[in-house]
Amino acid sequence: MKRRQKLALGLWLVAVGAQAQAVWRSDSLQEVVVTGTGTQHLLKDAPVQTEVISRRQLQQYAGKSIEDILTGLTASLDFSESDMSSRLQLNGLGNSYVLILIDGRRLHGDNGGENDLSLIDPHNIERIEIVKGASSALYGSDAIAGVINIITRKHTAQGLMLENTTRIGSYGDIRQHDGIALNYGRLSSYTNFQLQHSDGWQNTSEEAPQQTEYHITDSRNKTVNRHTNWQLAERLIYQLTPDVELYADGTLYWKRIYRPSGHHPGVDVKTWDLQYDNLSVSAGGKWKLNATDVITLDADWKRHAYNYVYTDTTLTDGYVKGRFTNYYPYFPGDVELQSDQRLTNVSLKGVFSLPWDQRLSAGIDYRYDWLKAPMRVAGGKATDNTEALYVQDELEMLNPLSLTAGLRLTRNEGFGLRLTPKLSAMLKVGDLRLRATWSQGYKTPTPKELHYQYIRNMNGVYLYLGNTGLKAQHSNYFGVSGEYTVGRLTLTVAPYYNKVNDMITLVTIPAKQAPAELITKYDPIKVRQYQNMEDAKTYGVDVTLRYQARHFTAGGSYSYLDTEANQYDAEYDVMQRVVIDGMAHHKANVYATWSRDFTPRYQFGVGVYGRLSSKRYYQIDGDGSGYQLWRLTTSHQLGSSCRLEAGVDNIFNYCDRTPHGLHLGTTTPGRTVYASFTVRFNQGRKLTNKYKSNLNSSNNETD
C-alpha cells in the first residue's frame, strides 16, 4: 500500500510540475452564479461563498453519474451507494438536510429517505453550484446543511440540434444520452432521453458473522445490484414578448433493481425486485419589468412510486382492494405498492432594485406533501401542508462592504409558525474576498418520520417506527471564508460551525416501548424509532486550491470534519455522546489536467484525479475503512461535432471487502475502464443578441 501511495503522489507531483506553455487567466471567477442569493452575481463577487463545478471541469472529469462527479471534484461531499439510495453527506449532515435543486426547483424522488440521484442526467449539466450551510431563509425546509443546484444545459442556436452520447464501461455499465433541440422563432423545445444500466458487482461473498447464525462465505448478495433506469424529459419555452417568457416541462422515469436469490434464508434469498416510477410536470414564466426588475412564477407537481415486483411465489402481508390480509400469496410478476409520494409546489418571486444600491427579493411558497404507503405508514396515508413568506435585501452602497439579510416566515399545519433569518457580509480588498455568514435552518418532520411503521426481514426481523411526538429541527450556522487570487492561483479557506437542535435520527429502543400488537405479531429482534437528539453539532474547515494556466490546471480540496451529538438512551436512562453516522475526519481531492490543440480540428486532454478519505464512523455495525482512489482520463475533441473520452478508474485496484451487513468506506469495485463517444449535429444560426440576452438572463435569474 505504501508503494502505491508513493506512486500515486508521484503521478500528481509530476503533473503539477509540468510547465504551462502560456499564461491564461481563468474566467471561472467571472462566471455568473445564482444559488447563494437567488440573484445573479459574478462568482468572485457573490456575497455567499459558492463552490462551482464548471462545464469544463465536468468534461475533463467525465464522471458516469452525479455521485461520481461530486465525490471526485469536491472533498466536503461523500456518498455510499446502495439499492435504496446514494446516502449523501455534506459536512457531516445527511441527505435529508441537503436541498438538491435542478434549475432552482426541488428534486423529488425519495428512496429510503434519500433522493434518487439517477433522476439527474450527467450529460445534460452545464454547471453545479454548491452553497454550504443553512439556507432555509431563502429555500425553506431541508436546506440545513446546504444546497446543491444542478444547472442544466441550454441550447440557443436557431434551427435543429441533435446529440448522442454513448458510454460503456466495466461490469456492463452503459450510459446513453440523446437530445433533440429545436428553436424556431419564439418557440424552443428540448427533448432529452437518458438510459443507465449496470450489471452490478460483488466485492465479497461473506456475510457479517455477528449478524447471522452461521459463518456464510458463499452469499449471493451483491455490493451493488444489477439495475436499469431510463428517463424521458421535455422542455418547451415560448418567448411571448421580449420581456415575457413562458415554459412547460415534464419527465417520465422508470427504474428497476434486480436482486439475486441465494440459498441462505433470511440472508440472501430475495423474492422480489425493486421498481420505481416517477412522473413530473411543471409550468411557469418570467416577466421582466425593466432592466433590473423581474417577477417569476413556478408550479410543480411530482410523483414518486416505489413498488415490489415479485420474482417467486411469496406469502406475505399485503393490502388487497384496500383491505389488510395476512399471508397473502403473491406470484411472479405481481406488483405491490410500497409508497406513493406526491409533491405540489408553487412559488411566486419578485426581484426589484431599490435606491442606494439595494436589490430586494421577495416571494411566497406553497408546498403540499401527500404520501400513500399501506405497508409502511400507520393508517396507510399521511399529508403535510406548508406555506411561507420570505424577503431578502442585498445592500451594495457600503462598497467595498456588501451586506445581505433575509428572513422567512413558515407556517406548517402540524408545527405552527417559525421565523428563519440569515445575514451575510462580504468585504473586498483587492484580490482578497472575506465573507461571513450567520443563518438559521428549519426542518419539520416528514410524514414518514411521523407515521412510519415498517417491518424489515433481513438477517432477522427489524421493526421501524415513526413518532408523532417529534419536534421540528432548527439550526444555527456560522461560517467565514477567505478567498485570495494571485496570478494563476486561487486559494479559499472556509471554517464553519453548524449546531442542530432536536436532530431527528433512528434510535434503538426497548421492545416494551413499541406497540404490543406489533411485538406479538412480528417478534422483532430489534426495534428502532425516529427520535429527537438533544443536540448535535458539526464543525470543520474546507480548503480549496486551484492553479490554472492556458493548457494546464492543478489543485485540490481538503475537508476536515468533526461531529458531536447528545442522545438519550431510554433503555439505560443515560445521556450518550455519539458521533453522527458516516462522519470521516479527513477527506481530500487532488487533480492535474493538461490539454492542447494539436490541429484546428483536434484537441487532446489528459487528467489525473485522486480521492482520499479517512475512516468513516458509525454508531452500530462497525466503521467504514479509509481509502484512496485514483483515476486517469483522456479526451479527444474531433472538430466541433465529435468527442471521444476514455480512461481508467481506481487505477490501483482498491476494493473494500468488508462483509455484507457492515459499513463500507466505499462501495467502489476494483479497477474499471470506460469509453464514451459523443456526436452532435447543428443546423441553424445563433439567436440574435437581444433574444440570447433574454434567454441567458432567464436561465440564471430563475434557476
Side-chain angles (χ1 to χ4, degrees):
M1 180 61 71
K2 289 183 179 180
R3 183 177 300 174
R4 290 180 179 176
Q5 291 174 347
K6 291 178 180 179
L7 180 57
L9 182 59
L11 280 172
W12 186 71
L13 290 175
V14 168
V16 172
Q19 292 297 313
Q21 296 190 11
V23 176
W24 179 70
R25 175 65 180 266
S26 168
D27 64 350
S28 61
L29 294 178
Q30 306 300 319
E31 191 165 12
V32 174
V33 295
V34 297
T35 308
T37 61
T39 55
Q40 296 184 66
H41 291 276
L42 294 178
L43 177 59
K44 67 184 181 69
D45 294 330
V48 178
Q49 183 68 42
T50 305
E51 184 175 348
V52 173
I53 299 175
S54 67
R55 177 68 179 166
R56 179 174 177 175
Q57 290 174 287
L58 293 168
Q59 287 188 320
Q60 290 171 331
Y61 186 74
K64 69 177 181 180
S65 65
I66 189 65
E67 297 96 328
D68 187 19
I69 291 167
L70 290 173
T71 53
L73 295 176
T74 180
S76 53
L77 281 159
D78 207 349
F79 294 86
S80 181
E81 188 175 358
S82 71
D83 282 349
M84 294 300 297
S85 64
S86 300
R87 297 181 184 174
L88 178 157
Q89 191 178 82
L90 172 61
N91 285 349
L93 295 176
N95 183 90
S96 61
Y97 300 98
V98 182
L99 178 61
I100 300 177
L101 307 173
I102 300 179
D103 289 331
R105 305 205 306 273
R106 183 183 296 265
L107 178 69
H108 179 65
D110 183 4
N111 291 350
E114 310 274 340
N115 276 310
D116 183 359
L117 299 183
S118 299
L119 288 159
I120 301 170
D121 183 355
H123 295 101
N124 195 37
I125 300 175
E126 179 64 28
R127 70 181 186 276
I128 301 171
E129 298 180 8
I130 303 169
V131 175
K132 301 167 188 175
S135 298
S136 295
L138 188 60
Y139 292 106
S141 188
D142 302 340
I144 285 181
V147 178
I148 301 173
N149 194 5
I150 312 294
I151 312 297
T152 60
R153 294 166 56 204
K154 307 302 187 294
H155 305 278
T156 60
Q158 283 283 320
L160 177 68
M161 187 279 293
L162 304 174
E163 61 181 357
N164 170 269
T165 298
T166 302
R167 174 187 169 123
I168 58 174
S170 303
Y171 300 100
D173 188 74
I174 300 173
R175 310 278 163 156
Q176 181 71 33
H177 164 84
D178 299 288
I180 303 175
L182 178 62
N183 292 295
Y184 184 77
R186 299 180 178 181
L187 180 67
S188 65
S189 165
Y190 182 66
T191 306
N192 173 40
F193 174 80
Q194 68 152 327
L195 171 72
Q196 302 178 8
H197 173 82
S198 173
D199 289 340
W201 56 85
Q202 185 186 56
N203 290 348
T204 180
S205 59
E206 181 182 3
E207 294 287 339
Q210 60 268 46
Q211 296 192 16
T212 60
E213 185 177 355
Y214 305 102
H215 187 197
I216 298 172
T217 59
D218 60 344
S219 173
R220 295 186 184 176
N221 274 331
K222 287 189 173 185
T223 306
V224 173
N225 284 323
R226 182 167 71 96
H227 56 273
T228 301
N229 65 74
W230 58 261
Q231 181 174 250
L232 181 65
E234 170 65 27
R235 181 175 177 88
L236 294 169
I237 299 176
Y238 183 69
Q239 199 75 40
L240 183 63
T241 72
D243 297 322
V244 178
E245 177 186 282
L246 305 175
Y247 77 87
D249 59 34
T251 63
L252 183 64
Y253 171 86
W254 178 90
K255 182 176 183 178
R256 179 85 172 259
I257 297 173
Y258 304 90
R259 307 200 302 170
S261 183
H263 43 267
H264 298 290
V267 177
D268 63 356
V269 176
K270 309 294 192 302
T271 60
W272 59 82
D273 293 337
L274 310 179
Q275 181 173 302
Y276 305 92
D277 300 283
N278 270 43
L279 177 65
S280 71
V281 291
S282 304
K286 174 180 178 178
W287 180 19
K288 294 189 68 173
L289 303 176
N290 51 49
T292 58
D293 300 348
V294 61
I295 295 175
T296 60
L297 174 66
D298 298 285
D300 300 316
W301 181 87
K302 299 177 180 180
R303 174 182 182 266
H304 176 78
Y306 165 43
N307 305 279
Y308 284 171
V309 180
Y310 287 91
T311 56
D312 199 357
T313 301
T314 305
L315 288 174
T316 186
D317 296 342
Y319 274 83
V320 181
K321 296 182 179 180
R323 180 175 299 177
F324 181 80
T325 304
N326 283 311
Y327 303 110
Y328 182 81
Y330 286 92
F331 301 99
D334 286 349
V335 178
E336 181 188 23
L337 176 69
Q338 299 300 304
S339 69
D340 181 354
Q341 303 173 71
R342 303 183 186 184
L343 169 68
T344 301
N345 204 104
V346 181
S347 177
L348 177 64
K349 174 183 175 181
V351 180
F352 309 98
S353 292
L354 298 179
W356 303 295
D357 292 325
Q358 294 184 86
R359 182 158 48 173
L360 179 71
S361 302
I364 58 175
D365 288 335
Y366 169 76
R367 174 174 173 171
Y368 176 68
D369 288 276
W370 182 90
L371 170 64
K372 178 183 178 182
M375 300 301 300
R376 293 170 179 264
V377 168
K381 292 182 181 180
T383 62
D384 189 48
N385 274 291
T386 303
E387 303 88 32
L389 301 169
Y390 67 92
V391 62
Q392 175 183 270
D393 187 20
E394 300 174 65
L395 180 63
E396 302 284 348
M397 66 175 294
L398 301 176
N399 190 43
L401 176 67
S402 61
L403 300 174
T404 302
L407 184 66
R408 173 179 286 256
L409 176 63
T410 302
R411 190 210 71 89
N412 179 269
E413 65 173 329
F415 296 90
L417 295 172
R418 175 79 185 192
L419 280 172
T420 309
K422 179 173 183 175
L423 180 63
S424 298
M426 181 181 67
L427 177 65
K428 296 183 287 186
V429 183
D431 288 327
L432 176 65
R433 300 290 188 272
L434 298 174
R435 297 179 175 91
T437 295
W438 166 71
S439 56
Q440 289 191 348
Y442 180 62
K443 179 175 171 59
T444 56
T446 66
K448 278 188 174 182
E449 292 167 339
L450 292 168
H451 305 289
Y452 217 46
Q453 183 175 295
Y454 172 57
I455 301 295
R456 189 187 74 165
N457 191 348
M458 185 180 296
N459 300 337
V461 178
Y462 289 75
L463 172 62
Y464 292 88
L465 297 174
N467 185 353
T468 55
L470 289 173
K471 294 180 286 186
Q473 303 160 96
H474 56 95
S475 69
N476 276 282
Y477 173 84
F478 302 89
V480 297
S481 69
E483 178 185 282
Y484 185 62
T485 301
V486 53
R488 312 171 191 176
L489 192 68
T490 300
L491 171 67
T492 303
V493 180
Y496 63 89
Y497 174 88
N498 201 357
K499 187 175 187 297
V500 184
N501 295 310
D502 298 318
M503 183 176 181
I504 296 174
T505 187
L506 276 170
V507 176
T508 301
I509 64 172
K512 62 184 179 182
Q513 295 185 8
E517 64 274 14
L518 296 178
I519 298 298
T520 303
K521 181 177 180 180
Y522 295 108
D523 189 25
I525 63 173
K526 186 174 288 188
V527 180
R528 307 204 76 196
Q529 184 181 46
Y530 286 105
Q531 292 189 2
N532 292 107
M533 288 185 173
E534 295 300 312
D535 59 67
K537 60 183 178 181
T538 70
Y539 53 92
V541 60
D542 294 331
V543 180
T544 60
L545 181 67
R546 179 178 177 85
Y547 171 90
Q548 187 158 355
R550 183 172 182 178
H551 301 293
F552 173 73
T553 64
S557 58
Y558 165 75
S559 179
Y560 170 77
L561 168 69
D562 205 351
T563 69
E564 294 178 15
N566 290 313
Q567 181 175 298
Y568 177 66
D569 188 328
E571 185 170 5
Y572 297 101
D573 192 28
V574 296
M575 190 70 69
Q576 289 186 333
R577 178 67 60 88
V578 298
V579 299
I580 297 177
D581 279 349
M583 183 270 293
H585 284 305
H586 308 281
K587 296 192 292 291
N589 299 79
V590 293
Y591 66 90
T593 67
W594 180 82
S595 63
R596 182 168 180 186
D597 296 334
F598 283 92
T599 72
R601 296 188 60 80
Y602 176 66
Q603 181 190 72
F604 172 76
V606 61
V608 177
Y609 298 84
R611 175 156 53 101
L612 305 90
S613 175
S614 61
K615 179 169 66 175
R616 302 183 70 181
Y617 293 90
Y618 293 88
Q619 297 178 40
I620 61 173
D621 296 334
D623 297 323
S625 301
Y627 62 88
Q628 59 170 296
L629 304 172
W630 292 86
R631 174 189 185 97
L632 176 68
T633 68
T634 66
S635 63
H636 311 263
Q637 186 71 42
L638 309 172
S640 60
S641 59
C642 296
R643 181 179 178 86
L644 174 66
E645 297 168 344
V648 182
D649 202 2
N650 198 355
I651 298 172
F652 301 112
N653 201 32
Y654 173 78
C655 191
D656 190 335
R657 303 199 185 277
T658 302
H660 294 293
L662 303 180
H663 293 294
L664 303 176
T666 173
T667 58
T668 305
R671 184 183 301 113
T672 60
V673 297
Y674 74 90
S676 73
F677 184 70
T678 299
V679 59
R680 179 176 297 175
F681 169 78
N682 280 288
Q683 184 183 51
R685 65 186 187 279
K686 292 291 184 182
L687 293 173
T688 64
N689 290 335
K690 182 176 182 180
Y691 277 100
K692 186 174 180 180
S693 175
N694 286 335
L695 182 60
N696 288 338
S697 175
S698 172
N699 292 338
N700 286 318
E701 195 81 30
T702 61
D703 285 345

